[in-house]
Amino acid sequence: MALSLNNNRAGEGLAYYQGLARTHPWWLIPIPFRQKAPTITGWPQLRLNPVDFRGRFECPSNAGVLLGVPCTNGLYLIDVDLDSPEAVQLADQYLPPTDCVFGRQSKPASHRLYYVRHPIPTKKYTDSNKKVIVELRGAGCQTVVPGSVHPSGEWIEWVKNAEPAEIDPAELSADIEELAEACGWRPPASVVPVPPPQPVNGNLADRPVVADAPDADWYGRCQKYLEKVPESISGQRGHDAMLRACCEAYRFGLDDSAARQLADWFNAERCTPPWNAREIEHKLSEAKKLVDAAGEFGVRREPEPHTLPPADAAPQTADAVPVANWEPMPGDWEPMPLDCLPDVVQRWVEKTAKALCCAPEYVAMPLLAVSGSACGSRWIEIKGSWSEPAVIWAGVIAPSGTQKSPAHKKSVGLLYSRQDTLAEAYKREKQQYDEDMQVYKDEGDARGKLPAAERMPKPTAPIHKRLFTSDATVEALCAILADNPRGLLFERDELAGWMQGFDRYAARGGQDETSWLSMHQASRVTVDRRTNKQFTSVPRGAVSVCGTIQPGTLARCLTPERFQSGFVARVLFVMPVSPQKCWTDDVVPPSVQHEMQVLIDRLLDLPMVERADNDGNVTLEPLHLPMDADARELWIEFYNSHAAEQRRLRDPRLAAAWSKLEAYAARFALIFTLLENPDATVVGALSMHNAIRFTRWFCRETVRVYAMLDGKPDERADDAAILKWLAGRGGAATVREVRGAFWCYRASGAAEQAVERLIAAGHVVWDIPDSGPSGGRPKNRFRLAKP
């Protein structure tokens, strides 16, 4: 994106930086014009919202972004600073792609931003002349962003100005090391020999660490694995890093003695400051309990055995899930049936997707959640004791750079104008309330001397009406829902921060996740705050959710506990095949945009129903829409056939998803009815028919997504493709080369697991040579096994 900002004209810099902070979840800090370093004392702790920028970013001014600290999306921002021309030239070959790149005229594309889930310490890589090649900038650093001017007088400009890619910290560190090594950096030899058994109370340990060659091999592999994990640094989640190292020792199948010596090595080499012996013993004990409880002892040592088909064999598929009306093929992508959507909605989805050059599902999924939240004043009545809200939880799974974020913002953007109007109205009402409250306070004691009719009533505080939020804490949501009985939309471009937030307060025993499960059903949600002993209870906490996530990140987030709790079953995940991104001059026609905006606004205008209890207290409740006779007949037929399908499912995860998809059919019917006619009073047969078709598509997509997240059944065919690829390139390769050649192995650890499967099946063997004459770490190289 070319920079058009002129920092020498007063006022433009402030507006630019405010816009930058609003479109990215970053923390910006002021830096003097044409300088690179902040001069404010305590800048690493500075957290400024865009409304606080005035007076700090007045022109002329530069701006920096804090690195290595949690952004508002819960992730950590990392900058890879390419200092040498060789590093810039080779970056695309070695570094993972990202949609956030900038630089200046003499050093274009020299800064690449990434998100990581854990902080990474800053590290510089230099050549033999101590000249910096590349710098990994994390905790304790900042970087000057576009909109600023370099001390040389050059503008700092965007090359790509979208969201940074999320990458595993260990993988990113390894990629940077390989880039630095290609540009002249020479790492020290880092594989520490396995130490001999040490005396314990004067005697040798009962079992030596390296009793046989296989044990020594696994000790060395675990040691290499730990070289790539984050270091244990005090104040930077050092406890978590040390505990992870201890857990990995047991996951590699080491016994207690070997695990202790490996922990001692990690403590000496990777911990700042080192832990004492008692602390290490405690962490080993805790790690062993965690690994045993998860059933993961030796999981990295004993990959799931299976026999691969010949490299030229046809791809194999797993047993089909026995469903009555189709035979789902997990590897086959079937586009979403957009013709189920009302005409106005279908037209807008197709035109928006075409303008963005993205899959239509990227637009349709968040739009479903937006529409569901806009329909918050209406529920569908299935029978007297069963009604469903229009709550939709929609997640788009896609790699970085596929336009999923712009599509998400387009759909959520349909709520922006109404939200701004509500915010302005609240601002005016709050100002009037403050003035009236001051008059009320000034009246004071004189109020009691006045006749009752002349006394000023106490002013009523205004209600801040909201349509959406990005704050995932249950306390914040309950406070908003208490004033907004229709419910609201929770939108998060990166859903990882939402799901990881459930574990933020583990001492509460998973209470946050339980509350979210209630919000999916628009049930009662209560919060007890221990600090101020405040109790909040929302009778109908209706919250729709939409967001995006990358495949590898989702696989890490969807733990067995999330499946068992029913959380995963409530989320509609889609993983569409993305078209090749290319330039297009297409835009959404103004008439199409206008009719979609008018439709959403009409849904937002639908009123709640006032109901009075026996004491005369008036509450606002949703209006329940019944089904007409034809729609009810279609529903009963679907309900019975869907229940029969669920009963025959062998995978308990799919059975749980089927139970939620049953209710989603009714919710889709309600939303389609209101999108067709916001003034409708019954759900008709056409909407129910389309909702059932839509639900059956989601059933097939759920089967496909779950299979892809598991790496099954396609992993056998993909692994066979590796063998064919190896045969065509001389029979040997490194794990990194596999990751670069096959997109399906880009997720963290996927390539390593594929190689382990091939080794277990006897198709390949490790081929790890000694370090060369110049030193350095040997590559994880493998080759075809001899027949």
Side-chain angles (χ1 to χ4, degrees), residues 321-596:
V321 179
V323 178
N325 296 327
W326 67 82
E327 292 183 0
M329 301 294 289
D332 295 338
W333 161 247
E334 177 185 340
M336 177 183 282
L338 297 179
D339 59 313
C340 291
L341 301 172
D343 292 342
V344 173
V345 180
Q346 180 184 354
R347 195 156 45 243
W348 185 81
V349 168
E350 292 175 343
K351 294 295 184 181
T352 303
K354 186 177 181 182
L356 293 174
C357 194
C358 70
E361 291 77 13
Y362 290 0
V363 181
M365 289 298 289
L367 181 60
L368 283 174
V370 169
S371 302
S373 67
C375 295
S377 63
R378 300 292 185 266
W379 287 34
I380 181 172
E381 182 180 302
I382 299 175
K383 62 179 181 179
S385 59
W386 183 9
S387 296
E388 288 288 335
V391 172
I392 305 292
W393 286 8
V396 173
I397 310 169
S400 178
T402 54
Q403 297 292 83
K404 64 183 187 299
S405 294
H408 171 89
K409 293 177 182 176
K410 283 289 186 182
S411 294
V412 178
L414 294 168
L415 300 177
Y416 287 170
S417 60
R418 179 63 66 93
Q419 182 74 79
D420 292 342
T421 300
L422 294 174
E424 286 296 324
Y426 174 76
K427 182 178 179 181
R428 293 191 301 269
E429 293 170 2
K430 182 65 167 58
Q431 182 177 359
Q432 185 62 49
Y433 167 77
D434 291 339
E435 294 174 359
D436 294 343
M437 197 65 191
Q438 187 60 49
V439 174
Y440 180 80
K441 292 178 180 179
D442 292 342
E443 189 177 80
D445 296 337
R447 188 181 304 109
K449 301 176 182 179
L450 295 173
E454 298 180 11
R455 294 175 187 172
M456 178 181 180
K458 185 175 181 179
T460 302
I463 295 175
H464 191 182
K465 295 181 180 180
R466 300 279 297 277
L467 300 180
F468 63 88
T469 183
S470 299
D471 193 335
T473 63
V474 173
E475 291 89 345
L477 283 170
C478 279
I480 299 173
L481 288 169
D483 292 335
N484 295 271
R486 298 171 55 100
L488 69 153
L489 173 73
F490 173 78
E491 64 90 13
R492 196 74 169 262
D493 188 15
E494 290 290 345
L495 286 176
W498 173 47
M499 288 183 272
Q500 292 161 4
F502 297 161
D503 304 324
R504 191 178 306 163
Y505 305 110
R508 293 197 282 192
Q511 183 62 41
D512 281 5
E513 184 169 335
T514 302
S515 298
W516 273 102
L517 298 183
S518 298
M519 286 184 275
H520 180 267
Q521 191 58 37
S523 301
R524 182 175 294 275
V525 183
T526 59
V527 173
D528 282 295
R529 293 184 179 177
R530 297 180 180 179
T531 54
N532 56 10
K533 297 183 178 180
Q534 182 179 350
F535 173 78
T536 304
S537 179
V538 179
R540 285 179 304 277
V543 180
S544 290
V545 177
C546 64
T548 67
I549 195 166
Q550 297 187 42
T553 304
L554 180 63
R556 293 191 295 270
C557 290
L558 298 190
T559 61
E561 293 77 17
R562 295 259 160 81
F563 279 101
Q564 294 165 8
S565 69
F567 167 79
V568 182
R570 287 166 165 81
V571 186
L572 299 171
F573 284 116
V574 301
M575 194 172 181
V577 175
S578 301
Q580 172 69 43
K581 188 169 69 172
C582 61
W583 174 256
T584 175
D585 288 323
D586 290 321
V587 296
V588 180
S591 59
V592 174
Q593 182 69 32
H594 175 73
E595 62 181 356
M596 188 68 224

Side-chain angles (χ1 to χ4, degrees), residues 8 37 58 75 85 109 206 210 278 302 306 334 359 453 512 515 535 594 639 706 708 782:
N8 293 308
E58 301 296 345
L75 300 176
D206 294 335
V210 286
R278 184 175 180 181
E302 300 173 0
H306 67 279
E334 177 185 340
D512 281 5
S515 298
F535 173 78
H594 175 73
Y639 181 89
Y706 282 15
M708 293 177 75
F782 62 95

Side-chain angles (χ1 to χ4, degrees), residues 60 122 132 142 169 193 204 260 332 371-372 389 407 455 505 509 550 567 584 680 723 731 741 756 764 783:
T122 297
V132 177
Q142 59 82 29
L204 284 178
R260 174 56 196 262
D332 295 338
S371 302
R455 294 175 187 172
Y505 305 110
Q550 297 187 42
F567 167 79
T584 175
L723 298 178
E756 293 293 352
V764 302
R783 58 178 171 79

Side-chain angles (χ1 to χ4, degrees), residues 221 303 752 754-766 782:
R221 291 191 186 183
E752 289 83 353
V755 174
E756 293 293 352
R757 290 194 297 268
L758 291 168
I759 291 173
H763 294 284
V764 302
V765 296
W766 284 112
F782 62 95

Side-chain angles (χ1 to χ4, degrees), residues 39-287:
T39 56
I40 299 177
T41 302
W43 60 265
Q45 289 75 43
L46 196 62
R47 303 292 187 272
L48 296 176
N49 292 316
V51 294
D52 303 322
F53 282 9
R54 189 168 295 278
R56 294 178 179 267
F57 290 89
E58 301 296 345
C59 293
S61 174
N62 282 0
V65 60
L66 291 177
L67 303 172
V69 299
C71 301
T72 57
N73 61 0
L75 300 176
Y76 294 78
L77 187 67
I78 301 298
D79 177 29
V80 179
D81 184 1
L82 307 170
D83 284 281
S84 71
E86 295 83 1
V88 174
Q89 184 177 2
L90 296 176
D92 289 338
Q93 180 179 346
Y94 284 88
L95 297 181
T98 181
D99 286 334
C100 200
V101 182
F102 62 89
R104 49 195 171 94
Q105 185 176 3
S106 61
K107 295 179 66 177
S110 58
H111 289 264
R112 297 181 176 223
L113 298 184
Y114 298 91
Y115 285 133
V116 295
R117 296 178 60 196
H118 305 291
I120 302 180
T122 297
K123 186 174 181 179
K124 290 184 179 181
Y125 299 84
T126 59
D127 58 18
S128 58
N129 297 321
K130 302 301 180 182
K131 185 177 179 180
V132 177
I133 299 172
V134 59
E135 181 180 6
L136 173 61
R137 311 184 74 185
C141 290
Q142 59 82 29
T143 190
V144 179
V145 294
S148 305
V149 176
H150 190 265
S152 65
E154 294 177 310
W155 286 101
I156 299 175
E157 299 181 325
W158 291 110
V159 177
K160 298 180 182 179
N161 183 15
E163 281 299 285
E166 182 183 348
I167 190 71
D168 181 82
E171 182 179 345
L172 181 60
S173 297
D175 290 342
I176 294 174
E177 285 194 2
E178 293 193 15
L179 171 62
E181 193 169 359
C183 296
W185 174 68
R186 291 295 175 261
S190 56
V191 178
V192 180
V194 178
Q198 299 296 319
V200 178
N201 296 327
N203 301 314
L204 284 178
D206 294 335
R207 179 181 176 188
V209 175
V210 286
D212 51 40
D215 282 339
D217 183 44
W218 284 108
Y219 184 101
R221 291 191 186 183
C222 183
Q223 194 173 59
K224 290 181 180 179
Y225 183 90
L226 293 182
E227 289 173 358
K228 298 182 179 181
V229 306
E231 297 181 0
S232 173
I233 301 176
S234 178
Q236 298 181 17
R237 303 186 71 173
H239 165 79
D240 293 348
M242 186 65 196
L243 180 62
R244 176 182 176 181
C246 294
C247 287
E248 293 300 346
Y250 290 115
R251 291 191 182 110
F252 273 85
L254 302 183
D255 62 12
D256 291 339
S257 178
R260 174 56 196 262
Q261 294 203 32
L262 191 65
D264 288 339
W265 166 81
F266 188 85
N267 188 44
E269 297 292 329
R270 306 296 304 279
C271 299
T272 307
W275 302 87
N276 60 44
R278 184 175 180 181
E279 290 170 330
I280 293 177
E281 286 290 349
H282 175 73
K283 285 176 172 54
L284 282 167
S285 176
E286 185 178 357

